[in-house]
């Protein structure tokens, strides 16, 4: 209630109007007070257009949250305010007849304003401004007709303001329910849009809308992260991203992803995917360590497999980026770890065509399967260590805790069994790919 009304009532009656009066005193004045209230309220009903004009103008001047709506469609806001005042002032005269309609109107306003994005505080302020203006006009009209009757209004002041509070509660409840529905609908639309982008099924015509909905530039630079957790129990979801992994990708963690660009997650049947917005522009290769920084920041639990695909340009290429990330994920060891596709392209070639990879492994390494398993594993381990050491028998021997001559002897035996020559580049490439296929495909 405006201060001017509080002070006037206090002068006339000597007490705050909202202070409950003794029941015995109120019961003696109830009928007369209600008659005074009804008489003043009828005058307000007759002058509702003028009251509506004043309230809309007051909202524009005093409530910033309503200015955009009034500028956009003043007539629509006027009708809303007039509708609300008509039912609420009518409720003061005929509560039973107007109560349900007044409640419906307040709920409708709460839902409409939630959909328009008007802050809830602004909507509640508007209702309280309307209540204050109605109360002030009731006091002014009563004082104009008979100043002595103003003191009778004190006995219904609490009822009037309880009525205002009741409708504020109705508005707030309707607003929050509508907000939850809108939030769910918005999140669902975002999920569907992210899924379409990652599946490569989004239409070119929808990319502009997708960019606005997701807060991403249509022609930005992106990469996709694919994550799968090794199952640890019957309740484990292998496609659900670990919490600490999602937290590591949040903005402000020292990553080189675009500022404020939190990754958008999408859960598939076998893996979870995150769209990573990178700092470079279209066609810009960016800093060499950009994807490295993301991989290093991942705090993946033991057994979690993560694959990061190559960078792509534009939202339209996210379907390709997802497939590249899936390839990187398939190139990740079963024990877990993070694979950057650009650094494991030979492995990616193998997992991209499992049938050909298995055929190559059988052709190159098949003769070793006739050996005793322990003997075969020693040769394969030595061959892998030698390749990892860039063909140095000395470093391979140090890694295997044996003499370099032992390494050379095992390599010669491999050449004898398979007919391959490790000094011939073509054979070395085939052996390397065959080992990758045996490791990644279990061939």
């Amino acid at each position: 209630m405006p201060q001017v009304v509080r002070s006037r009532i206090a002068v006339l009656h000597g007490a705050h109007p909202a202070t409950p009066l003794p029941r015995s005193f109120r019961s003696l004045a109830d009928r007369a007070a209600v008659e005074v209230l009804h008489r003043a309220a009828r005058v307000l009903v007759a002058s509702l257009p003028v009251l509506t004009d004043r309230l809309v103008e007051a909202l524009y001047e005093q409530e910033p949250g309503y200015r955009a709506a009034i500028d956009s469609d003043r007539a629509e806001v006027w009708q809303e305010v007039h509708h609300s005042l008509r039912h609420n002032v009518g409720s003061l005269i005929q509560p039973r007849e107007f109560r349900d309609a007044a409640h419906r109107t307040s709920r409708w306003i709460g839902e409409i304003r939630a959909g328009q994005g008007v802050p809830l505080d602004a909507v509640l302020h508007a209702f309280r401004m309307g209540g204050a203006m109605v109360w002030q006009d009731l006091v002014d009209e009563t004082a104009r007709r008979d100043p002595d009757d103003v003191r009778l209004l004190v006995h219904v002041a609490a009822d009037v303001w309880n009525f205002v509070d009741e409708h504020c509660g109705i508005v707030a409840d309707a607003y929050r329910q509508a907000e939850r529905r809108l939030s769910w609908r918005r999140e669902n639309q975002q999920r569907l849009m992210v899924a379409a982008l990652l599946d490569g099924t989004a239409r070119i015509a929808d990319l502009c809308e997708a960019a606005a909905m997701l807060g991403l530039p249509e022609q930005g630079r992106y990469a996709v992260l694919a994550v799968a957790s090794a199952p640890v129990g019957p309740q484990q979801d292998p496609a659900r991203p670990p919490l600490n992994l999602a937290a590591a990708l949040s903005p402000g963690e020292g990553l080189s992803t675009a500022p404020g660009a939190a990754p958008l997650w999408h859960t598939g049947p076998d893996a979870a995917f995150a769209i990573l917005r990178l700092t470079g522009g279209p066609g810009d290769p960016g800093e060499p360590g950009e994807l490295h920084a993301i991989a290093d920041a991942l705090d993946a639990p033991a057994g979690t497999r993560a694959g990061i695909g190559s960078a792509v340009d534009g939202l339209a290429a996210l379907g390709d980026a997802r497939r590249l990330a899936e390839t990187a994920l398939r190139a990740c060891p079963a024990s877990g770890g993070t694979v950057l596709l650009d650094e494991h392209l030979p492995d990616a070639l193998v997992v991209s065509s499992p049938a050909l990879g298995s055929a190559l492994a059988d052709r190159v390494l098949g003769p070793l399967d006739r050996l005793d398993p322990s003997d075969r594993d020693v040769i394969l381990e030595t061959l892998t260590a030698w390749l990892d050491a860039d063909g140095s028998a000395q470093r391979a021997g140090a890694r295997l805790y044996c003499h370099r001559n032992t390494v050379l002897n095992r390599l010669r035996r491999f050449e004898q069994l398979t007919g391959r020559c490790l000094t011939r580049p073509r054979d070395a490439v085939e052996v390397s790919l065959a080992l990758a296929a045996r490791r990644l495909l279990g061939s």
Side-chain angles (χ1 to χ4, degrees), residues 91-262:
S91 295
L92 299 178
I93 305 171
Q94 295 176 296
R96 292 182 180 178
E97 289 78 357
F98 281 88
R99 182 178 183 276
D100 290 341
H103 284 186
R104 286 195 300 271
T105 299
S106 295
R107 282 194 293 270
W108 173 73
I109 291 174
E111 293 172 355
I112 290 295
R113 291 305 171 209
Q116 294 173 340
V118 178
L120 177 57
D121 287 346
V123 181
L124 296 178
H125 184 209
F127 263 76
R128 294 190 177 100
M129 286 176 63
M133 189 171 288
V134 167
W135 175 253
Q136 183 72 63
D137 282 7
L138 290 172
V139 172
D140 290 345
E141 174 59 25
T142 301
R144 185 186 66 79
R145 292 178 60 91
D146 188 346
D148 291 338
D149 285 347
V150 172
R151 69 184 63 188
L152 292 174
L153 282 181
V154 173
H155 304 300
V156 294
D159 296 328
V160 171
W161 284 100
N162 286 339
F163 177 87
V164 173
D165 287 341
E166 175 189 1
H167 280 263
C168 284
I170 293 172
V171 167
D173 183 62
Y175 185 101
R176 294 188 182 100
Q177 289 185 20
E179 196 173 40
R180 285 193 292 270
R181 290 195 299 271
L182 291 169
S183 177
W184 178 87
R185 188 178 307 151
R186 186 163 50 248
E187 291 174 359
N188 192 51
Q189 290 174 341
Q190 289 179 346
R191 282 194 296 270
L192 293 175
M193 184 60 72
V194 169
L197 289 171
L198 290 172
D199 288 342
T201 57
R203 300 181 303 175
I204 297 297
D206 293 334
L207 293 181
C208 183
E209 178 186 352
M213 179 188 300
L214 303 176
L216 298 173
E218 184 177 348
Q219 299 302 326
R221 187 164 175 270
Y222 301 96
V224 170
L225 164 72
V227 180
S229 299
V232 295
Q235 303 302 319
Q236 179 74 30
D237 181 359
R240 183 177 182 182
L243 295 179
N244 52 345
L245 187 62
L249 290 171
S250 299
E253 297 294 333
L255 300 183
S256 57
T257 49

